[in-house]
Amino acid sequence: MAQTMQLDIVSAEKSIFSGAVEFVSARAVHGDVGILPRHAPLLVQLQPGEVRVKMPGGEEEYFYVSGGIMEVQPNIVTVLADTAARAKDLDEAAALEAKARAERALKDRSADIDYAKAQAELAAAMAQLRAIQNLRKNLR
Amino acid sequence: MAGAKEIRAQIRSIQSTQKITRAMEMVAASKMRSAQQRMVAARPYAEKIRQVIGHLAHANPEYQHPFMQERELKRAGFIIVSSDRGLCGGLNTNLFRNVLAEMKRLQEQGVELDLCLIGNKAIQFFRRYGGTVVAQTSNLGDAPQLTDLIGTVKVMLDAYREGRIDRLVLCYNNFVNTMTQRPVLEIILPLPANGKVEQTHQWDYLYEPDPASVLELLLGRYVESLVYQSVVENIASEQAARMVAMKAASDNAGTLIDELQLAFNKARQAAITKELAEIVGGAEAV
């Protein structure tokens, strides 16, 4: 019987695969790498692509990862997968958007403060009204 | 004493409030369960990365990434995770109070602050309080995606990398159990150096393409996963706190209804007695 190793594919959001496998192949930045049991410790940056897994018994399974990192220990392989498409400019755009949101909020500040102030005043007025009503009830 | 009719109207209005709070309680309970599952599902990733980073830092003492270097504290960044909606007891207020105390302590030492806000409540609160908000995001929903957080986190990571901030603090509510949610302020950058050095046998990974870029990628992903984890945990805390708050509200409504019911019965009885007395009085007069 062929040797097996433990494979875990995890993303930040969930665990995608966990089990014993005979062979793993993934797309690294400089080309495909194939891992058999008892491989030397290895840390590889992955490209978007397939992770091909050969299960004991010869069945093959495919998982799509959009990049990430694969860690190889002699009997354990872990794929830290990205689920979302990651590219430098995409990340950059997201960062700019988050910044823009903060700046926009800063500009709208006056309107929002007025709203908060009005809300506070309304709450105070309502409390006063309630107090007056209670007073009346007790007097009656 | 108010009339029987008014009391009845009041009872009815409290009953409908109770219906709403009870429904919210049940909704929160079911949302809390799914949030807890998400919390558990997100754990292995962060744990695995932490192991790898620990090993990397150990195997490559000569290579120092900026994220691992302790610098003199001049400016600190805060990532504050809050809920989008209210009606969840003192959850957000507790967290903000802790954050404010820490911020004040730093400001007294002459440290400036940058804020990164996640969730509507934090945005509203810190807008009034003041402070430099460099990034914000809200309306993540019940099942947040890592994608929604990437930009917000990157702003802070870039700031740290470029030396604009010297420390990054993550503030969120830690989900202990249904009854307890603990506000947590965690320093995530610089990465705490793990002191224990096991010199059993020296080994190192083979790297592709090279240690520096792999480490760079890993550390970025690590911080992102920490923030993601805290957001998920905060959602579980929010739902738990809401469930407890709504249960208390339903119970209060129940006691209020009981009291009013008693007052109503008395008022009705008084009205009947009065009417009878009048009839008897009238009959006697005739």
Side-chain angles (χ1 to χ4, degrees):
Chain A
M1 196 190 127
Q3 276 189 324
T4 60
M5 57 190 167
Q6 172 70 25
L7 170 71
D8 292 291
I9 304 181
V10 290
S11 78
E13 281 144 16
K14 58 179 186 286
S15 173
I16 297 168
F17 174 85
S18 176
V21 299
E22 277 179 4
F23 173 76
V24 182
S25 155
R27 184 158 304 162
V29 277
H30 293 321
D32 284 12
V33 286
I35 310 289
L36 286 163
R38 305 183 63 84
H39 194 283
L42 173 73
L43 208 55
V44 184
Q45 191 176 337
L46 297 183
Q47 273 190 341
E50 272 170 354
V51 175
R52 190 157 60 89
V53 176
K54 204 171 181 184
M55 316 290 265
E59 256 178 82
E60 285 200 348
E61 274 204 46
Y62 298 89
F63 299 94
Y64 178 78
V65 296
S66 31
I69 289 168
M70 179 161 75
E71 187 226 9
V72 180
Q73 300 263 12
N75 290 312
I76 306 167
V77 177
T78 313
V79 178
L80 301 162
D82 295 340
T83 41
R86 299 291 294 259
K88 211 161 167 63
D89 36 338
L90 269 180
D91 283 13
E92 205 72 57
L96 284 177
E97 199 183 317
K99 259 189 212 163
R101 268 199 300 269
E103 273 153 24
R104 217 175 314 133
L106 216 64
K107 267 187 213 143
D108 288 348
R109 191 173 218 165
S110 55
D112 230 77
I113 282 188
D114 286 349
Y115 176 71
K117 212 172 170 187
Q119 214 173 18
E121 273 167 14
L122 182 68
M126 266 169 49
Q128 272 173 358
L129 232 112
R130 209 170 306 136
I132 292 169
Q133 272 173 356
N134 278 342
L135 213 66
R136 272 211 197 125
K137 232 182 249 171
N138 290 342
L139 280 178
R140 221 190 287 166
Chain B
M1 168 84 61
K5 206 176 152 207
E6 281 131 58
I7 297 182
R8 192 162 2 171
Q10 213 169 355
I11 289 179
R12 211 162 283 154
S13 104
I14 293 175
Q15 266 168 346
S16 60
T17 310
Q18 192 186 28
K19 257 181 221 157
I20 294 169
T21 55
R22 193 162 284 155
M24 283 181 79
E25 179 194 333
M26 284 187 283
V27 170
S30 85
K31 280 189 179 172
M32 184 187 78
R33 260 189 296 276
S34 57
Q36 262 176 297
Q37 278 163 6
R38 226 168 278 126
M39 218 168 83
V40 173
R43 224 164 254 160
Y45 185 81
E47 265 166 25
K48 199 68 209 177
I49 290 199
R50 198 175 322 196
Q51 275 174 23
V52 176
I53 289 176
H55 179 81
L56 259 177
H58 181 215
N60 287 295
E62 78 284 354
Y63 178 72
Q64 283 279 325
H65 192 271
F67 285 177
M68 290 168 157
Q69 280 158 358
E70 193 107 15
R71 294 195 293 239
E72 196 198 342
L73 188 60
K74 287 201 215 76
R75 200 176 177 93
F78 279 77
I79 298 181
I80 300 162
V81 182
S82 74
S83 69
D84 274 333
R85 282 180 228 159
L87 286 184
C88 49
L91 187 80
N92 290 316
T93 329
N94 273 344
L95 178 70
F96 295 157
R97 205 175 46 223
N98 278 299
V99 172
L100 281 185
E102 172 70 8
M103 278 164 61
K104 199 175 246 173
R105 199 180 62 80
L106 287 175
Q107 272 168 336
E108 274 164 13
Q109 294 170 5
V111 177
E112 287 175 273
L113 304 170
D114 273 350
L115 302 179
C116 163
L117 306 174
I118 299 174
N120 277 331
K121 288 288 154 187
I123 293 171
Q124 277 164 16
F125 182 86
F126 285 96
R127 182 175 299 154
R128 235 174 310 156
Y129 172 79
T132 352
V133 181
V134 291
Q136 68 179 43
T137 183
S138 60
N139 296 324
L140 295 175
D142 295 317
Q145 298 281 310
L146 187 66
T147 334
D148 305 328
L149 297 168
I150 290 170
T152 324
V153 177
K154 188 173 163 58
V155 172
M156 294 316 259
L157 286 181
D158 284 348
Y160 191 90
R161 204 173 286 138
E162 289 158 16
R164 271 181 283 132
I165 55 174
D166 311 302
R167 177 189 282 182
L168 189 57
V169 185
L170 181 61
C171 318
Y172 65 100
N173 279 293
N174 182 10
F175 182 89
V176 182
N177 55 41
T178 318
M179 299 305 289
T180 335
Q181 295 87 37
R182 203 159 30 90
V184 177
L185 278 73
E186 199 180 302
I187 298 175
I188 51 175
L189 289 179
L191 279 181
N194 35 354
K196 52 170 184 182
V197 181
E198 327 135 30
Q199 287 286 357
T200 43
H201 61 294
Q202 201 66 42
W203 60 280
D204 198 0
Y205 289 111
L206 302 166
Y207 297 96
E208 193 180 320
D210 57 288
S213 57
V214 171
L215 194 58
E216 165 77 30
L217 186 70
L218 261 179
L219 288 171
R221 293 288 189 275
Y222 177 60
V223 173
E224 274 165 15
S225 82
L226 279 184
V227 175
Y228 175 78
Q229 176 91 30
S230 75
V231 168
V232 175
E233 202 147 319
N234 200 66
I235 288 172
S237 300
E238 177 196 345
Q239 299 300 352
R242 180 166 300 137
M243 194 180 87
V244 172
M246 287 303 119
K247 183 162 174 40
S250 306
D251 291 351
N252 281 345
T255 45
L256 214 56
I257 288 171
D258 285 349
E259 275 167 27
L260 284 173
Q261 190 69 50
L262 206 65
F264 170 73
N265 289 346
K266 270 184 191 159
R268 195 192 50 174
Q269 193 60 53
I272 292 168
T273 316
K274 199 171 137 209
E275 216 166 289
L276 268 179
E278 271 164 14
I279 291 168
V280 173
E284 266 168 14
V286 169

